[in-house]
C-alpha cells in the first residue's frame, strides 16, 4: 500500500510543478507584449500622465519577477485583478479606485455554468459510450460494428460547429424541441436550465462519445486474445458474460483513462460550442476577451483551463494506477 | 409527455416484433443455429435497423414528391441520402478504376481496399485539384463583390436564385461557389504548410532527442511536456491574442504568426512520436554500424532513421493534418484565424450562420452555412478514413 501512496504523491507533486511552470509560460507569453497594459487600457488618445497613473495603480512599474509572484499569489488566494474592459469603464466615469467588478466576479458564475454543461454532457456521454463500446466489441466485424465505426470516425473528424449546426437544424429549427440559443440566467428553474443546456450538451456528447466508444471497443478487443478469455469461452459462457465479467474489469484502466482524457478534451471543445450556442460559460468569455485583448481575463481563463486540464490528466493517471491490482497489492 | 408514451409503446412493439420474428425464423428453418442462438437484443437490433431504414425511405419519398424549393422538413434528409449514395457510388467506381488500371502493385492495393478508404482517396484528390487550380476553376474572384447580394443557392430564378451563381451569393454579394473553391486553396493550403513545418520541427528535434539522449533529451522532453500541459486550442488562442498585438493590423503578418504558432504547438505531438519511434530504431545494429563507420549525426538521422520511421510518421501526418486543419477552421470560426478578405471556410460558416434559421420555410437558404462546414467535415472525414485503413493495414489485422 505504501508504494501506491508514494506513487500518487509523486504524481500530485509533478502535477503541481507542471501547473507552476505553465503559469510561468502564460505570464511570460503575456508579458512579451510590446507596449504595456496601461496604454491598452486607456487607448490611443491617453495623456502620458494618465498612463503613468494607471501604471502605478496596477503595479506595472515593478520588475517582472515581483509582478509574477504577486499575480501568482493573487491567483492562489482568488484575486485575479480587474479586467481592462471594467477598468476602462471605471476610468471613463471618473472613478479612480478599482473597486468595480473583478475578474473573479466575472468568471465565477460562468465557470459554474460551464461545469453544469460539462456535467450534463458527462452524464449522457459516459454510460452511452461504454455501452456502445461493449456492444461493438461483442458484435465486432458485424454490420452494426462497421456502421458504428463509420459514424464515430465521421463525428470525431467533423468540426464541433458542423455538428452543432446540424443539431440546431434538426432539433431547433425543423423540429422545435430545444432552443437554439442557450439563454441561461442565475435563478433559473432546473428543468428550464436543463432544456436550454441540452443542445450544447448533445453536441459535445456526439463529439466525445465517438472517441470514448472507439477506445472502449479497442481496449476490450485487445484483451479478447488472452488465454483466460479463451478459457471462459471454452467453459461455455455466453459472449456477453465473457465480456462483462472477464474482459471489462481488466479493461477498466484504459477505459477510465480515456474517459478522463475526454473530459479534459471537453475543456477545449466547450469554447467553440459555447460560442455557437451563445452559452454564457467561461469559453465564451475567453473568446470575447481574446478579441478585445483583455489580458487579465485571458490570463485568468487560460490558467483555469490549464489547471482543469492538468487535474483531469492527473486523475486519469491516478485512477489507472488504482485500478491495477498488481500495483494496489504489491508482493 | 404523450411523445414519451409513444416512444415507449414503439419500443415495446419493436421488441414484440423481434421476438415474433425470431420465433418465426426458428420454425421456418427447422431451428437453424442462426436463429436458435440469436439473443433477443440482436433480433431487436435487426428490427430497429429495418425501422430506421423504412423511416429514412419514407422521408426520402416525401421530399422527392414535394418541390425542394418550398418549405419541406425532409429536404435535408433528401440531400443527405443523395449525397451519401452519390459519394458511395463515386468511391466504388474509383475503386473499380483503380482495380483495372495501373501497375500490378496498385491494382493489388485497390483490390484489398474498403469502400471508405477509396472514397477518402477520391475526396483528397478532388480537394487537391480544387486547391491547386482554384484560380482557373472558380468563376469569380474570392473577394469580388458582384451585383446581387443574398442570392439563394440552387440557381432557380423562381425562388430567388440566379443561374449565374449556382450556389448563391452571401450578404454582401460575393459568389459562394467561388469562395468555397478559393477556401480550398487558402484553408487547405495553410493547414498543409503548417503541418509540414510542424513535422520538420517535431521530427528533427524528436530524432535528435532519441539519438543524442542525455541532458538534450531531458531538456527537450520536459519543454514539450510543459507545452502539452496547456490545451492546444486555448494556448493558440492566447498566443493569437499576443500575435494580433504584434501584427498590429497587418493581416498577412497575422496569418504568418498563426502558421508559426500552430506549427510549434503541434510539433510537440510530432516530437513525442518521432522520439518514441526513433529511440526504437537507435538501438538497432545498423545504427551502431553507421556510428562505427564514423557517419555524422545528420547522415544517421536522415539516411538511417528517417527511412525506417516513414510508415508511422506518414499515418501521423494524416492525423496531424486533420487536427491542424480543424484548429485553423475553429480559430477562423471564432474570428481570430485567417482574416476576412481571404475566403476561408471557418469564417464563411460564421458569416453565413444566421441563414440556418430560415430552414423551416426556405430550406435552400439554410444550405449556405452547411456547405462551408460540410466542406471542412468532408475533407477531415476522408483523411481519417484513409489513415484508419493505413493503420489497420499496418497493424496486421488483429481480431
Amino acid at each position: 500500500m505504501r508504494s501506491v501512496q508514494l506513487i500518487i504523491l509523486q504524481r500530485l507533486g509533478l502535477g503541481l510543478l507542471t501547473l507552476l511552470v505553465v503559469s510561468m509560460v502564460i505570464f511570460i507569453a503575456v508579458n512579451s507584449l510590446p507596449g504595456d497594459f496601461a496604454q491598452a487600457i486607456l487607448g490611443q488618445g491617453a495623456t502620458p500622465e494618465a498612463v503613468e497613473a494607471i501604471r502605478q495603480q496596477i503595479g506595472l512599474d515593478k520588475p517582472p519577477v515581483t509582478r509574477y509572484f504577486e499575480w501568482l499569489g493573487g491567483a492562489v488566494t482568488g484575486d485575479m485583478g480587474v479586467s481592462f474592459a471594467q477598468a476602462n469603464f471605471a476610468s471613463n466615469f471618473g472613478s479612480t479606485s478599482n473597486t468595480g467588478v473583478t475578474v473573479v466576479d466575472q468568471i465565477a458564475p460562468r465557470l459554474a455554468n460551464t461545469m453544469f454543461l460539462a456535467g450534463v454532457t458527462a452524464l449522457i456521454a459516459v454510460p452511452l459510450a461504454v455501452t456502445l463500446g461493449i456492444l461493438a466489441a461483442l458484435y465486432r466485424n458485424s454490420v452494426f460494428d462497421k456502421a458504428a465505426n463509420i459514424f464515430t470516425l465521421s463525428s470525431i473528424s467533423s468540426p464541433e460547429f458542423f455538428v452543432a449546426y446540424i443539431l440546431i437544424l434538426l432539433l431547433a429549427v425543423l423540429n422545435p424541441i430545444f432552443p437554439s440559443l442557450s439563454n441561461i440566467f442565475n435563478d433559473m428553474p432546473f428543468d428550464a436550465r436543463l432544456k436550454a443546456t441540452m443542445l450544447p450538451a448533445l453536441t459535445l456528447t456526439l463529439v466525445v462519445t465517438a472517441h470514448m466508444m472507439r477506445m472502449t471497443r479497442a481496449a476490450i478487443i485487445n484483451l479478447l486474445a488472452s488465454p483466460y478469455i479463451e478459457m471462459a469461452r471454452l467453459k461455455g459462457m455466453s459472449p456477453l458474460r465473457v465480456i462483462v465479467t472477464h474482459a471489462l474489469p481488466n479493461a477498466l484502466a484504459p477505459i477510465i483513462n480515456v474517459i478522463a482524457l475526454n473530459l479534459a478534451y471537453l475543456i477545449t471543445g466547450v469554447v467553440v460550442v459555447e460560442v455557437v450556442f451563445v452559452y454564457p460559460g467561461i469559453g465564451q468569455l475567453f473568446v470575447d476577451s481574446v478579441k478585445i485583448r483583455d489580458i487579465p481575463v485571458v490570463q485568468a481563463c487560460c490558467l483555469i483551463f490549464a489547471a482543469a486540464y492538468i487535474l483531469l490528466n492527473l486523475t486519469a493517471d491516478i485512477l489507472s494506477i488504482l485500478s491495477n491490482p498488481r500495483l494496489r497489492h504489491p508482493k | 409527455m404523450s411523445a414519451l408514451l409513444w416512444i415507449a409503446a414503439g419500443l415495446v412493439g419493436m421488441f414484440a416484433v423481434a421476438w415474433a420474428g425470431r420465433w418465426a425464423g426458428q420454425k421456418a428453418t427447422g431451428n437453424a443455429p442462426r436463429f436458435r442462438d440469436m439473443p433477443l437484443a440482436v433480433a431487436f437490433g435487426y428490427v430497429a435497423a429495418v425501422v430506421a431504414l423504412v423511416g429514412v425511405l419514407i422521408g426520402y419519398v416525401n421530399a422527392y414528391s414535394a418541390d425542394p424549393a418550398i418549405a419541406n422538413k425532409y429536404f435535408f434528409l433528401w440531400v443527405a441520402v443523395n449525397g451519401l449514395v452519390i459519394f458511395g457510388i463515386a468511391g466504388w467506381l474509383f475503386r473499380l478504376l483503380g482495380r483495372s488500371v495501373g501497375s500490378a502493385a496498385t491494382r493489388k492495393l485497390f483490390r484489398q481496399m474498403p469502400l471508405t478508404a477509396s472514397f477518402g482517396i477520391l475526396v483528397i484528390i478532388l480537394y487537391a485539384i480544387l486547391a491547386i487550380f482554384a484560380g482557373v476553376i472558380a468563376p469569380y474572384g474570392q473577394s469580388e463583390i458582384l451585383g446581387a447580394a443574398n442570392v439563394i443557392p440552387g440557381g432557380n430564378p423562381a425562388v430567388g436564385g440566379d443561374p449565374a451563381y449556382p450556389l448563391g451569393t452571401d450578404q454582401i454579394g460575393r459568389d459562394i461557389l467561388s469562395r468555397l473553391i478559393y477556401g480550398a486553396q487558402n484553408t487547405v493550403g495553410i493547414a498543409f504548410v503548417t503541418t509540414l513545418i510542424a513535422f520538420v520541427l517535431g521530427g528533427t528535434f524528436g530524432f535528435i532527442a532519441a539519438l543524442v539522449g542525455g541532458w538534450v533529451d531531458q531538456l527537450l522532453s520536459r519543454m514539450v511536456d510543459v507545452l502539452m500541459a496547456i490545451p492546444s486550442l486555448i494556448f493558440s488562442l492566447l498566443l493569437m491574442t499576443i500575435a494580433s498585438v504584434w501584427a498590429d493590423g497587418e493581416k498577412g503578418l497575422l496569418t504568418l504568426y498563426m502558421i508559426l504558432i500552430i506549427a510549434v504547438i503541434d510539433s510537440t505531438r510530432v516530437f513525442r512520436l518521432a522520439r518514441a519511434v526513433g529511440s526504437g530504431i537507435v538501438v538497432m545494429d545498423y545504427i551502431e554500424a553507421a556510428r562505427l563507420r564514423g557517419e555524422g549525426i545528420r547522415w544517421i538521422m536522415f539516411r538511417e532513421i528517417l527511412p525506417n520511421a516513414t510508415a508511422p510518421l506518414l499515418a501521423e501526418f494524416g492525423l496531424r493534418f486533420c487536427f491542424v486543419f480543424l484548429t485553423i477552421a475553429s480559430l477562423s470560426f471564432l474570428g481570430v484565424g485567417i482574416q476576412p478578405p481571404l475566403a476561408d471556410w471557418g469564417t464563411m460558416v460564421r458569416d453565413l450562420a444566421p441563414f440556418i434559421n430560415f430552414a423551416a420555410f426556405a430550406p435552400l437558404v439554410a444550405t449556405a452555412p452547411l456547405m462551408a462546414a460540410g466542406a471542412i467535415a468532408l475533407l477531415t472525414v476522408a483523411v481519417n478514413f484513409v489513415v484508419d485503413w493505413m493503420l489497420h493495414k499496418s497493424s496486421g489485422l488483429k481480431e
Side-chain angles (χ1 to χ4, degrees), chain A residues 154 157-162, chain B residues 123 127 180 183 187-188 321-322 325-330 332-333 344-350 369-383:
Chain A
S154 312
S157 38
S158 309
E160 286 99 350
F161 51 82
F162 182 59
Chain B
V123 170
Y127 271 68
L180 277 177
T187 322
V188 179
F321 172 78
C322 281
F325 183 61
L326 286 179
T327 309
I328 292 178
S330 301
S332 305
F333 176 75
D344 155 72
W345 292 335
T347 322
M348 284 177 76
V349 177
R350 189 189 44 164
L370 292 178
M371 279 187 296
I376 299 170
L378 189 61
L379 180 60
T380 43
V381 169
V383 173

Side-chain angles (χ1 to χ4, degrees), chain A residues 272-288:
Chain A
V272 174
V273 171
E274 279 180 5
V275 170
V276 172
F277 292 99
V278 204
Y279 186 90
I282 191 171
Q284 169 101 58
L285 178 71
F286 182 57
V287 172
D288 288 346

Side-chain angles (χ1 to χ4, degrees), chain B residues 115-138:
Chain B
L115 200 57
T116 48
S118 69
F119 156 77
I121 293 175
L122 178 68
V123 170
I124 293 172
I125 292 176
L126 284 181
Y127 271 68
I129 292 173
L130 277 186
I132 294 168
F133 300 107
V136 186
I137 299 171

Side-chain angles (χ1 to χ4, degrees), chain B residues 134-154:
Chain B
V136 186
I137 299 171
Y140 306 97
Q142 55 179 323
S143 52
E144 194 179 336
I145 294 172
L146 304 158
N150 289 328
V151 172
I152 286 172

Side-chain angles (χ1 to χ4, degrees), chain B residues 22-57:
Chain B
R22 186 177 62 166
W23 183 80
Q26 282 167 352
K27 285 285 161 249
T29 56
N31 231 2
R34 186 180 170 71
F35 285 102
R36 191 191 59 207
D37 295 342
M38 185 186 282
L40 191 57
V42 175
F44 177 77
Y46 284 122
V47 174
V50 169
V51 167
L53 274 182
V54 169
V56 168
L57 205 67

Side-chain angles (χ1 to χ4, degrees), chain A residues 24-147:
Chain A
M24 264 182 229
V25 170
I26 294 173
F27 185 81
I28 292 170
V30 166
N31 276 272
S32 65
L33 282 171
D36 64 37
F37 293 177
Q39 194 75 46
I41 294 176
L42 293 172
Q44 294 287 325
T47 58
E49 293 82 24
V51 172
E52 195 51 42
I54 292 276
R55 276 179 69 91
Q56 299 245 325
Q57 194 185 343
I58 54 180
L60 275 182
D61 43 353
K62 293 174 195 157
V65 180
T66 324
R67 272 188 290 143
Y68 169 70
F69 282 109
E70 277 177 7
W71 174 65
L72 193 66
V76 171
T77 52
D79 171 21
M80 302 270 208
V82 180
S83 90
F84 285 172
Q86 300 291 340
N88 196 358
F89 183 78
S91 75
N92 278 342
F93 286 86
S95 146
T96 45
S97 64
N98 46 11
T99 50
V101 185
T102 63
V103 174
V104 175
D105 290 338
Q106 272 182 304
I107 288 181
R110 283 166 171 269
L111 187 61
N113 285 345
T114 297
M115 292 300 223
F116 184 73
L117 173 59
V120 172
T121 308
L123 273 185
I124 305 174
V126 173
L128 190 70
V130 174
T131 318
L132 283 178
I134 292 176
L135 282 180
L138 194 58
Y139 302 113
R140 59 196 168 279
N141 300 330
S142 69
V143 182
F144 166 71
D145 185 29
K146 280 183 183 138

